[in-house]
Amino acid sequence: MSKEIIRLKDCTVAFDDEVILDNINLYFNDKEFLTLLGPSGCGKTTTLRLIGGFLKPTSGDVLFNGVRVNDVPPHKRKVNTIFQKYALFPHLDVFENVAFGLRIAKLSESEIRTRVMEMLEIVSLKGFQHRKVTSLSGGQQQRVAIARALVNRPKVLLLDEPLGALDLRLRKDMQIELKRIQQAMDITFIYVTHDQEEALAMSDTIVVMDKGKIQQIGTPEQVYNEPKNAFVADFIGESNILDGIMIEDYVVEIFGRKFRCIDKGFAPREPVDVVIRPEDIEIVEPQKGRLSGTVTSVTFKGVHYDVIVDFKGFKWLIQTTKFHYVGEEIGINIGPEQIHIMKKSEYSGKFGDYSSYSEEYEKITSEDWEDETEDEEDEA
Amino acid sequence: MRRRYLAAVPHVIWMAVFVVVPLILVVIYAFTSATGGFTLENFKNMGSYMNVFVRSLWLAFLATIICLLIGYPLSYVLSKEGPGMQRVFIMLIMLPMWINFLLRTYAWMSILENTGLINRLLSSLGIFNLINRIFGTNITYIPLINTQGAVVLGMVYNYLPFMVLPIYSVIVKIDPSLIEAAQDLGAGSFTVFRRVILPLSLPGVLSGITMVFVPAVSTFIISKLLGGGTSILLGDLIEMQFLGNAYNPHLGSAISLIMMIIIMICMYVMNKFGEGEEQAVIM
């Protein structure tokens, strides 16, 4: 059984009157890969800075192993951080960058040597020890930053968007690399990212945040398959989010038609948000479907086609491996397991409509690719 | 392609006429006698000016060290202040430079004189009476002006901005995340300073030292006005050879040449010392 090592208790952070973190309660288990996931300015970096000790909560407590550490400065905390832009020391070579923490701990020269070389081997930078850090590529600098943090054998490693500055290919490689290192070193990783794919691929636990609040905590499967509200459903993967009415347990009404589902526990005739993932919709002949609509746009994505279908003015995104032409009439079927019911929230009606499909995609793409400098400024 | 160099032409002409030609003239003068023949005579007497050389270098060294001791902490503290505060302080540091150099130095004269501001203040506070009563002396002032201390003070006062500005501009550019990274790796504030801030600010320190030391070595008006001729410096010595009674431009050129060489050696050593730090500035 994994044990809890860090806890944030009722943590609020506010600058002037702006609330950055709103009463966060969160605990971190030993040896866990936990990801704080959310858009720019959601408070994820602030949360990390609370744990690192670079920021004190306006109210609430930070506990390490049950001991309050609010007033413990960063250099006395047994956690290490990998910073967004690496923050390598430009005046030191690779070896000295990695040895920095060990020298401060006043280890013997021979032990420093062994541990640094061992660490450089783990991050595949053997032979680079005398290189200037400024002469390294982004990926290599990233590895030096990882080595510099891990060589101190921390119990917890904090990672602030560590892959944000790398290109897609390198990012994918480093994801696997980081996961491997985490498992090999057997320590806790607290990982901050705005990239949902990264979060799903690496994490044991995902904490979805927005507007300084925790929206959902769960395993990658849980947050994907059972999002708590429209924000989570939209942020993690693609979702069609529809207005529905819960007729009774296991029956939901969408567009005036009743669908069987597997959710229960709602009040009779309670308005709800219904999530249907684009890959879970089965396309059939118009007369054989529960609903029918017209294809308005088709985009080839490699593995599948993104098809936008107009159902009575509400546009859905459907992902299919078969080609459909624009203007084609199609019918759809949805299995009970593919329908996920959520309670109405402040996010209802804001997400999950593909009427402005192209704009939405642009938004998503730019969020994925833009460096999170904005985020940093917001939260610094 | 060639056209681009046209923009450099005025500067090149300017440098040639006002820098390179005079330099050549200095070299020629230094190696010739009044009659025009080649001679090493001018350098033979250099030994008798050894004390001036030593004094100039020593006072300039003192002034540089004091500027560094005042300037570094000042720059460091300043860089931690808010942007508004920083602007105000930079203004305050620059402010004296808007006033004529001579005027500033004259102002110091009236402060330091035997009947100047400080002595009158001490006198009116009854300090001298007190001292005289205790020690049985009979002093009416403390000699402040016409001392080497006054010369160093004048140098520090005039050249401090040249120390503060380069150091400040380097420190202010140090990425705050480097400091956080050092803290994260276990460095307390002193260690952060010693292992990160100090080495990264070294290029600023080196250029500050150069910018204070070089003019301080060759200054003449400060020592003339505040030193009162008691402590002749290289600048004064050279001035005397060209404008004073001792008129001898050949000797003056020789002294200038030696001074130039000393300064070049100093700068070379400094640059050697700071090698490899350049990248730190760029980052």
Side-chain angles (χ1 to χ4, degrees):
Chain A
M1 195 54 218
S2 54
K3 78 183 213 304
E4 168 193 321
I5 52 172
I6 296 177
R7 178 179 282 271
L8 301 179
K9 199 159 150 275
D10 305 326
C11 278
T12 296
V13 173
F15 295 118
D16 299 324
D17 282 335
E18 201 191 340
V19 177
I20 310 292
L21 277 189
D22 193 356
N23 206 31
I24 295 283
N25 279 290
L26 190 58
Y27 65 89
F28 304 87
N29 285 330
D30 199 12
K31 296 171 184 152
E32 167 179 51
F33 197 123
L34 184 142
T35 300
L36 300 169
L37 175 66
S40 296
C42 74
K44 57 194 192 294
T45 300
T46 308
T47 308
L48 205 68
R49 290 174 67 80
L50 277 182
I51 301 168
F54 300 110
L55 197 67
K56 279 185 197 177
T58 313
S59 67
D61 290 324
V62 182
L63 307 169
F64 283 16
N65 289 322
V67 182
R68 185 176 179 274
V69 294
N70 287 27
D71 302 316
V72 177
H75 67 274
K76 293 203 174 129
R77 296 194 183 190
K78 294 268 168 262
V79 297
N80 284 114
T81 308
I82 292 175
F83 292 84
Q84 201 166 20
K85 297 196 177 72
Y86 319 138
L88 299 178
F89 304 117
H91 58 298
L92 301 175
D93 64 11
V94 170
F95 185 95
E96 286 304 320
N97 261 282
V98 178
F100 195 91
L102 301 179
R103 291 213 186 282
I104 287 167
K106 299 209 161 57
L107 293 181
S108 74
E109 194 61 40
S110 64
E111 182 165 8
I112 291 177
R113 189 149 191 90
T114 342
R115 272 171 72 171
V116 170
M117 296 315 279
E118 188 185 287
M119 205 62 229
L120 286 178
E121 187 150 5
I122 290 178
V123 298
S124 329
L125 278 179
K126 214 177 158 196
F128 282 74
Q129 60 268 29
H130 299 305
R131 292 275 289 275
K132 285 200 80 85
V133 288
T134 44
S135 70
L136 301 179
S137 71
Q140 289 165 339
Q141 291 191 15
Q142 177 64 68
R143 284 159 201 270
V144 176
I146 293 169
R148 185 179 67 175
L150 286 179
V151 79
N152 304 293
R153 298 180 184 157
K155 296 281 284 174
V156 178
L157 186 69
L158 311 177
L159 303 100
D160 188 3
E161 306 248 3
L163 309 183
L166 305 180
D167 63 55
L168 186 62
R169 191 62 209 245
L170 200 50
R171 216 163 5 152
K172 299 254 184 221
D173 291 345
M174 286 303 290
Q175 284 174 14
I176 297 163
E177 187 77 5
L178 278 174
K179 185 75 190 167
R180 180 184 69 77
I181 291 171
Q182 187 252 340
Q183 280 161 351
M185 308 279 292
D186 212 15
I187 59 171
T188 308
F189 271 35
I190 302 175
Y191 192 96
V192 160
T193 185
H194 66 282
D195 183 335
Q196 42 104 4
E197 247 176 80
E198 208 166 278
L200 291 173
M202 301 166 81
S203 319
D204 299 320
T205 306
I206 294 178
V207 177
V208 186
M209 297 180 71
D210 186 47
K211 295 180 185 162
K213 292 195 186 96
I214 294 174
Q215 302 297 336
Q216 186 168 3
I217 304 176
T219 63
E221 289 84 357
Q222 280 167 348
V223 292
Y224 188 83
N225 293 331
E226 295 149 42
K228 263 206 180 126
N229 60 35
F231 174 80
V232 178
D234 184 73
F235 195 78
I236 303 194
E238 295 285 328
S239 310
N240 297 295
I241 303 171
L242 321 160
D243 283 325
I245 294 165
M246 209 60 187
I247 304 295
E248 52 183 69
D249 282 356
Y250 309 118
V251 179
V252 65
E253 187 185 291
I254 313 164
F255 292 154
R257 296 202 181 222
K258 292 191 179 110
F259 284 84
R260 275 196 304 122
C261 64
I262 51 168
D263 295 83
K264 64 182 170 83
F266 293 85
R269 297 206 66 78
E270 181 179 339
V272 289
D273 284 337
V274 180
V275 180
I276 301 165
R277 295 287 183 185
E279 70 273 21
D280 289 342
I281 301 168
E282 188 195 353
I283 298 182
V284 293
E285 312 251 309
Q287 56 277 16
K288 287 186 186 159
R290 297 296 316 274
L291 290 167
S292 65
T294 318
V295 175
T296 61
S297 137
V298 179
T299 315
F300 181 58
K301 288 286 176 182
V303 180
H304 61 262
Y305 293 95
D306 272 0
V307 179
I308 302 291
V309 184
D310 191 338
F311 294 100
K312 302 177 180 176
F314 192 94
K315 292 189 178 169
W316 293 29
L317 171 66
I318 300 174
Q319 290 171 345
T320 169
T321 49
K322 269 172 120 179
F323 178 75
H324 295 272
Y325 58 89
V326 174
E328 185 181 345
E329 283 284 319
I330 56 162
I332 54 159
N333 278 331
I334 309 158
E337 268 100 53
Q338 322 300 353
I339 296 175
H340 174 64
I341 312 290
M342 304 181 300
K343 290 226 177 241
K344 284 277 178 193
S345 67
E346 56 169 318
Y347 294 105
S348 298
K350 287 188 183 163
F351 299 107
D353 180 1
Y354 288 87
S355 302
S356 50
Y357 172 70
S358 56
E359 282 165 43
E360 174 133 355
Y361 241 119
E362 247 164 56
K363 196 192 87 199
I364 292 163
T365 338
S366 66
E367 245 176 24
D368 270 355
W369 284 96
E370 245 169 53
D371 214 354
E372 271 222 356
T373 38
E374 237 181 297
D375 189 29
E376 242 190 348
E377 273 160 11
D378 285 349
E379 295 176 28
Chain B
M1 276 309 282
R2 292 236 147 215
R3 276 169 185 275
R4 209 183 292 168
Y5 298 111
L6 282 178
V9 167
H11 179 71
V12 169
I13 293 173
W14 176 272
M15 292 294 280
V17 173
F18 294 105
V19 178
V20 179
V21 171
L23 263 178
I24 294 169
L25 285 178
V26 165
V27 175
I28 292 171
Y29 262 73
F31 287 101
T32 51
S33 64
T35 53
F38 175 84
T39 177
L40 288 174
E41 198 64 33
N42 298 319
F43 293 95
K44 270 196 187 142
N45 301 331
M46 213 51 76
S48 57
Y49 300 116
M50 190 55 87
N51 59 338
V52 182
F53 274 98
V54 171
R55 189 190 299 130
S56 282
L57 290 171
W58 171 242
L59 293 188
F61 172 75
L62 275 184
T64 310
I65 292 293
I66 294 170
C67 279
L68 186 60
L69 290 181
I70 299 172
Y72 198 98
L74 182 63
S75 315
Y76 182 65
V77 171
L78 194 54
S79 69
K80 300 264 165 281
E81 292 293 335
M85 202 61 156
Q86 290 191 15
R87 261 196 299 278
V88 170
F89 266 90
I90 289 297
M91 267 282 280
L92 285 177
I93 291 164
M94 300 283 282
L95 206 58
M97 293 169 77
W98 298 356
I99 302 162
N100 181 283
F101 182 89
L102 266 181
L103 215 59
R104 276 182 276 160
T105 313
Y106 277 125
W108 270 111
M109 283 175 75
S110 65
I111 293 172
L112 297 175
E113 265 166 2
N114 295 346
T115 55
L117 213 58
I118 294 177
N119 277 318
R120 263 187 294 163
L121 181 72
L122 292 176
S123 159
S124 60
L125 286 173
I127 303 287
F128 295 132
N129 284 340
L130 191 69
I131 293 171
N132 289 338
R133 195 153 324 143
I134 294 170
F135 297 102
T137 50
N138 187 23
I139 60 166
T140 53
Y141 63 88
I142 300 173
L144 294 172
I145 202 157
N146 302 344
T147 60
Q148 293 196 351
V151 176
V152 173
L153 176 75
M155 288 176 178
V156 170
Y157 174 76
N158 278 307
Y159 301 131
L160 187 60
F162 299 112
M163 183 65 85
V164 173
L165 294 180
I167 297 178
Y168 163 77
S169 64
V170 170
I171 293 185
V172 103
K173 268 190 235 137
I174 294 177
D175 184 353
S177 69
L178 290 181
I179 293 161
E180 289 191 349
Q183 289 173 335
D184 187 74
L185 294 165
S189 41
F190 177 71
T191 315
V192 170
F193 177 77
R194 193 169 61 87
R195 285 185 179 262
V196 179
I197 297 171
L198 190 61
L200 287 178
S201 61
L202 218 51
V205 173
L206 294 182
S207 68
I209 289 175
T210 313
M211 286 172 75
V212 171
F213 183 75
V214 172
V217 166
S218 54
T219 182
F220 65 98
I221 200 73
I222 293 174
S223 53
K224 202 171 183 182
L225 295 178
L226 298 177
T230 54
S231 41
I232 292 176
L233 298 187
L234 280 174
D236 305 297
L237 193 61
I238 295 166
E239 193 215 5
M240 284 194 302
Q241 309 308 321
F242 285 97
L243 302 170
N245 307 330
Y247 184 76
N248 183 354
H250 299 280
L251 179 59
S253 298
I255 300 169
S256 302
L257 204 59
I258 299 281
M259 190 178 82
M260 229 147 49
I261 290 166
I262 291 175
I263 289 174
M264 273 160 68
I265 291 170
C266 289
M267 282 172 66
Y268 177 76
V269 171
M270 291 273 301
N271 284 339
K272 268 274 160 242
F273 186 55
E275 227 164 56
E277 302 295 338
E278 295 310 307
Q279 246 146 337
V281 196
I282 298 162
M283 287 237 10

